[in-house]
């Protein structure tokens, strides 16, 4: 019945069976199916009916029930169900206390329901209660935080900081990063005591995100973690062998923090490391971060960054054409616009023209003084002729103006005329 989506019928049928034909495992299965069907209220009703009929919930019951509740996307209009979640967790704490009296190391003791409960509280924005649950966990043993619990707590810190609004938003973000540092210290001390809670890349990404909300001192800790666990070192540092495999999402967060914290050179340095060692994980988003950094450096008066930005987009095009999953690194409009921004700030017309050619398929010489005939665009495969929008063309125009060269300005105006002002 459940496999056919008939959870209600299965529930009614189970209630008609003799008690000796029922057991806790069957009730747990029914709770799980109700959760899979997003019938959260029904899942709780099944749990209540199970207890009313004298069947004692076990750890799987609570893990299944909390897992079902954890699938709720929004708690905004689910006040009664939210109260039921709290009641279920209080029952689980009573269950844990009873089991501990007989066997503190019983397999019926698990932190998984508590971890799911913290996730639920975090989704509901009930951050203080989430920390209260965290603080109530054991320091060691089966009811102590595991890897997933730590990950969930780092994500809770991040969500708390990210959701901050108003005048005290920055203070809340800094407090969230400070909380993440305390949780990280708790984690490392557990490791030092021999705890079997090895980090994975999701945990490292979660703590990095949370620390990224904070002050420069928090950023230092974040970059130290990155070096020690993911093998990405700052200039002048030597990274130990990585403990986790660098992932695309983690690299996105790293490069975002570099640019947000006004560390463009570090952003470029990290991408260059990955280009040499793990180019397959790079996508257009990563490269756009790098090109943003080049634009920032160009605004600081570094004239060579435009040509480096151009070399970067040429490398992207080569990767697109020579690798099986090259589509993910194909330059887009945003990519070319970022290169043109670097060209404008560096006053580099030659690099800007070459970028325009790579972008559109036009030959820039067709727009120069003395050129005859109508400019022709080389037709490429779908998606590879990228036409500039107003933002991209404004960078090209500004670059021409910065040169102060009349011939350059005329060439630029011919490009604008050919593409059409109304379309731009």
């Amino acid at each position: 019945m459940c496999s056919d989506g008939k959870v209600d019928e299965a529930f009614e049928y189970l209630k008609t069976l003799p008690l000796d034909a029922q057991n806790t495992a069957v009730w747990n299965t029914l709770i799980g199916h109700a959760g899979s069907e997003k019938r959260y209220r029904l899942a709780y009703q099944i749990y209540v009916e199970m207890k009313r009929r004298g069947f004692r919930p076990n750890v799987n019951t609570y893990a299944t029930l909390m897992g079902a509740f954890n699938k709720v996307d929004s708690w905004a209009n689910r006040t009664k169900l939210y109260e039921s979640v709290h009641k279920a967790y209080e029952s689980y704490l009573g269950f844990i206390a009873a089991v501990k009296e007989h066997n503190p190391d019983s397999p019926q003791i698990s932190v998984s329901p508590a971890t799911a409960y913290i996730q639920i509280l975090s989704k509901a924005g009930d951050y203080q209660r989430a920390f209260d649950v965290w603080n109530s966990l054991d320091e060691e043993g089966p009811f102590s935080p595991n890897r997933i619990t730590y990950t969930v707590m780092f994500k809770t810190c991040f969500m708390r900081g990210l959701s901050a609004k108003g005048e005290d938003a920055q203070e809340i973000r800094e407090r969230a990063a400070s909380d993440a540092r305390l949780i990280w210290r708790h984690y490392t001390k557990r490791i030092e005591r021999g705890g079997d809670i090895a980090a994975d890349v999701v945990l490292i990404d979660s703590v990095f995100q949370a620390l990224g909300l904070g002050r420069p001192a928090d950023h230092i800790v974040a970059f130290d973690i990155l070096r020690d666990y993911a093998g990405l070192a700052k200039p002048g540092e030597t990274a130990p062998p990585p403990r986790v495999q660098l992932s695309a999402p983690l690299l996105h967060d790293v490069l975002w923090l570099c640019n947000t914290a006004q560390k463009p050179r570090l952003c470029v340095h990290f991408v260059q490391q990955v280009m040499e060692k793990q180019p397959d994980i790079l996508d257009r988003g990563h490269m756009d971060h790098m090109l943003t950094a080049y634009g920032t450096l160009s605004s600081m008066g570094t004239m060579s960054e435009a040509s480096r930005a151009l070399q970067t987009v040429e490398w992207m095009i080569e990767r697109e054409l020579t690798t099986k999953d090259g589509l993910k690194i194909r330059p887009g409009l945003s990519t070319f616009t970022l290169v043109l921004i670097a060209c404008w700030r560096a006053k580099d017309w030659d690099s800007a023209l070459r970028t325009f050619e790579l972008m559109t398929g036009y030959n820039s010489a067709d727009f120069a003084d003395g050129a005859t005939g109508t400019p022709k665009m080389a037709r490429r495969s779908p998606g590879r002729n990228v036409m500039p929008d107003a933002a991209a063309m404004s960078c090209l125009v500004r670059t021409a103006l910065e040169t102060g060269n009349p011939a350059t300005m005329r060439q630029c105006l011919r490009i604008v005329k050919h593409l059409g002002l109304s379309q731009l």
Side-chain angles (χ1 to χ4, degrees):
M1 291 183 188
C2 289
S3 59
D4 295 330
K6 299 178 180 179
V7 182
D8 293 282
E9 291 87 338
F11 184 27
E12 294 302 321
Y13 176 72
L14 182 58
K15 289 192 289 186
T16 65
L17 294 177
L19 290 179
D20 58 3
Q22 305 174 28
N23 56 47
T24 299
V26 172
W27 285 96
N28 291 349
T29 301
L30 196 56
I31 293 171
H33 279 289
S36 298
E37 296 289 329
K38 298 184 178 181
R39 303 284 304 281
Y40 310 117
R41 172 56 59 185
L42 178 60
Y44 186 73
Q45 289 173 351
I46 295 170
Y47 160 76
V48 171
E49 183 66 19
M50 169 189 178
K51 293 201 299 180
R52 192 184 72 80
R53 290 173 176 261
F55 293 95
R56 292 184 179 180
N58 58 22
V59 66
N60 292 333
T61 309
Y62 292 105
T64 303
L65 186 60
M66 287 297 170
F69 291 147
N70 201 17
K71 295 176 183 177
V72 174
D73 294 324
S74 173
W75 291 96
N77 299 312
R78 296 179 180 271
T79 305
K80 288 187 177 180
L81 184 62
Y82 195 54
E83 292 174 357
S84 299
V85 175
H86 302 322
K87 291 178 182 178
Y89 186 70
E90 288 299 321
S91 295
Y92 181 60
L93 291 181
F95 168 79
I96 289 290
V99 172
K100 280 184 176 180
E101 288 184 5
H102 295 88
N103 181 5
D105 297 317
S106 170
Q108 285 294 305
I109 302 174
S110 171
V111 76
S112 294
T115 301
Y117 184 49
I118 293 172
Q119 284 182 289
I120 294 164
L121 296 172
S122 183
K123 285 182 184 178
D126 203 347
Y127 300 116
Q128 187 54 56
R129 184 175 284 185
F131 274 86
D132 290 342
V133 174
W134 160 260
N135 290 323
S136 71
L137 299 179
D138 294 344
E139 283 295 314
E140 300 292 344
F143 199 57
S144 63
N146 60 17
R147 173 176 50 80
I148 298 175
T149 313
Y150 283 105
T151 302
V152 167
M153 284 305 302
F154 290 132
K155 289 183 176 181
T156 298
C157 293
F158 179 67
M159 291 174 65
R160 186 178 202 173
L162 203 63
S163 64
K165 300 287 188 295
E167 296 180 357
D168 57 348
Q170 184 57 34
E171 181 182 346
I172 294 173
R173 284 193 286 269
E174 291 174 358
R175 174 63 185 273
S178 178
D179 288 338
R181 285 181 68 177
L182 290 174
I183 296 169
W184 176 255
R185 192 174 301 131
H186 186 277
Y187 171 77
T188 55
K189 287 182 178 179
R190 290 276 307 282
I191 293 291
E192 291 170 1
R193 295 198 299 267
D196 186 18
I197 43 175
D200 62 4
V201 70
V202 179
L203 185 151
I204 298 302
D205 193 10
S206 299
V207 66
F208 195 93
Q209 285 182 320
L211 292 172
L213 298 173
R215 302 173 180 175
D218 300 310
H219 299 165
I220 291 172
V221 175
F223 286 121
D224 286 347
I225 292 171
L226 183 69
R227 177 198 62 219
D228 295 340
Y229 283 81
L232 282 183
K234 291 182 287 188
E237 294 181 338
T238 301
R243 306 185 205 182
V244 302
Q245 188 73 23
L246 182 67
S247 68
L250 173 57
L251 184 58
H252 272 292
D253 291 329
V254 169
L255 302 180
W256 171 84
L257 178 57
C258 289
N259 284 325
T260 302
Q262 297 297 307
K263 296 180 181 293
R265 294 190 189 282
L266 188 58
C267 177
V268 171
H269 175 73
F270 283 148
V271 177
Q272 288 175 339
Q273 284 189 60
V274 179
M275 288 170 70
E276 293 175 5
K277 299 176 182 178
Q278 294 177 261
D280 290 341
I281 75 167
L282 290 169
D283 59 32
R284 190 177 81 189
H286 299 127
M287 307 313 291
D288 281 3
H289 280 301
M290 186 185 197
L291 294 170
T292 299
Y294 278 134
T296 303
L297 291 169
S298 292
S299 68
M300 297 175 180
T302 307
M303 296 295 105
S304 61
E305 306 307 331
S307 60
R308 291 174 181 169
L310 175 58
Q311 291 170 5
T312 298
V313 83
E314 289 174 334
W315 182 86
M316 292 173 68
I317 293 171
E318 181 183 354
R319 289 287 300 176
E320 177 199 350
L321 297 174
T322 58
T323 59
K324 63 179 181 179
D325 57 348
L327 188 63
K328 71 178 184 179
I329 205 166
R330 171 186 288 178
L333 178 58
S334 64
T335 311
F336 289 113
T337 303
L338 289 168
V339 179
L340 290 171
I341 289 172
C343 294
W344 157 47
R345 290 173 174 170
K347 306 177 184 180
D348 188 339
W349 178 246
D350 290 338
S351 292
L353 275 185
R354 179 56 184 154
T355 302
F356 172 76
E357 292 176 338
L358 292 172
M359 182 180 189
T360 63
Y362 283 108
N363 186 341
S364 61
D366 292 343
F367 300 95
D369 288 350
T372 59
T374 303
K376 302 295 183 182
M377 180 178 69
R379 293 291 177 182
R380 302 167 179 163
S381 57
R384 296 192 61 242
N385 289 100
V386 181
M387 291 299 106
D389 61 2
M393 279 307 302
S394 70
C395 293
L396 196 67
V397 171
R398 289 173 179 178
T399 308
L401 284 171
E402 288 289 348
T403 67
N405 186 317
T408 295
M409 295 183 209
R410 289 193 296 271
Q411 185 179 21
C412 182
L413 288 173
R414 293 187 190 101
I415 293 173
V416 173
K417 181 181 179 181
H418 181 76
L419 293 179
L421 277 173
S422 59
Q423 293 181 3
L424 293 173

